[in-house]
Amino acid sequence: MLQKTACFLVIGNEILSGRTQDANTRVLAQALNAQGIRLMEVRVIPDIAERIINTVRECSAAFDIVFTSGGIGPTHDDITAECVATAMGAPLVRHEESFRLLEAALGADRFNAARQRMAYLPERSTPILNTVSVAPGFSIGNVHVMAGVPSIFASMVAWLVPQMEKGAPLVSASWHAAGLKEGDFASDLATLQEGFPTIDLGSYPYHLPDGASGVALVAKGYDSAIVGKAAQAIRDLIMAHGREPLAGEPPHRQTV
């Protein structure tokens, strides 16, 4: 089964300045893994209209699905909706149902012009449900625009992603061994990767609170049978280097 490919655009000056830490990539990646959609790329871009428009166009053409986070609130720098509308060749129009829902949730006295901006979506788009604060995201073509606030983003992902075409889910298997050093087996692991070109083999050093250290080796892919064979080969590799392979991830690891 051919996997759908996805790109995630994290939009916001606050991410690039370091003021805010991105918490949404992991949430989206895990949801896509379960749905059998392969997240191929994550880009962080500023709140600059030209950059957003050009990046959305580029990624919409290059990937099956594009997700964005950030920039759909009521303030002056929330320009994602209008930029995506421009990128997709659609005017920004008032979405009447969203307008009514926002007005009811906020009250007519608080539903000022700034907040009303959140009810303007690209023509031909469909809203993405927001169970936290009502203001919707939206989907247009293969682009799905969501809020940057982590709790809202997570609620939108939980509603949206399970509705998408499902592929084989990402599966993984891992072994770890205390005292294992990456430099000792790097060449062997490269050879092993050549033998399993359709999956990813990863090497992850760790340090435990008790001072013990080692390496976890992980096989990931969308074919469970091949991942299983690679996992057995990983186990054999660890044993060949005189270490005891333990199934799974090391307990309470601190990755480096």
Side-chain angles (χ1 to χ4, degrees), residues 177-196:
L180 197 61
K181 305 292 184 183
E182 283 190 306
D184 295 337
F185 63 81
S187 177
D188 293 336
L189 188 62
T191 300
L192 197 62
Q193 179 68 83
E194 292 174 0
F196 293 95

Side-chain angles (χ1 to χ4, degrees), residues 49-50 52-54 56-57 79-92 121-124 138 140:
E50 183 179 5
I52 297 172
I53 293 166
N54 290 341
V56 167
R57 284 174 175 163
I79 60 174
T80 299
E82 58 195 80
C83 290
V84 171
T86 299
M88 302 301 286
L92 202 63
L121 310 180
E123 194 172 58
R124 305 189 311 274
F138 62 85
I140 180 168

Side-chain angles (χ1 to χ4, degrees), residues 171-175 189 192-193 195-201 218-221 223-237:
V171 294
S172 67
S174 59
W175 294 88
L189 188 62
L192 197 62
Q193 179 68 83
F196 293 95
T198 62
I199 66 171
D200 296 325
L201 301 181
V218 182
K220 292 182 181 180
D223 187 317
S224 59
I226 294 177
V227 169
K229 291 178 181 178
Q232 182 59 48
I234 285 174
R235 184 180 185 277
D236 294 343
L237 184 153

Side-chain angles (χ1 to χ4, degrees), residues 23-109:
N24 294 331
T25 298
R26 180 185 173 102
V27 170
L28 179 62
Q30 290 179 336
L32 295 180
N33 290 344
Q35 196 68 12
I37 298 170
R38 187 168 188 177
L39 182 59
M40 297 291 291
E41 195 168 302
V42 178
R43 302 188 190 186
V44 183
I45 59 176
D47 296 304
I48 298 174
E50 183 179 5
R51 293 289 298 278
I52 297 172
I53 293 166
N54 290 341
T55 305
V56 167
R57 284 174 175 163
E58 176 188 344
C59 293
S60 177
F63 300 93
D64 295 315
I65 310 168
V66 179
F67 300 90
T68 80
S69 72
I72 58 172
T75 59
H76 73 282
D77 57 345
D78 289 316
I79 60 174
T80 299
E82 58 195 80
C83 290
V84 171
T86 299
M88 302 301 286
L92 202 63
V93 298
R94 194 168 94 172
H95 187 265
E96 295 301 333
E97 182 183 3
S98 297
F99 190 92
R100 289 193 298 270
L101 288 171
L102 280 164
E103 185 175 35
L106 295 168
D109 57 330

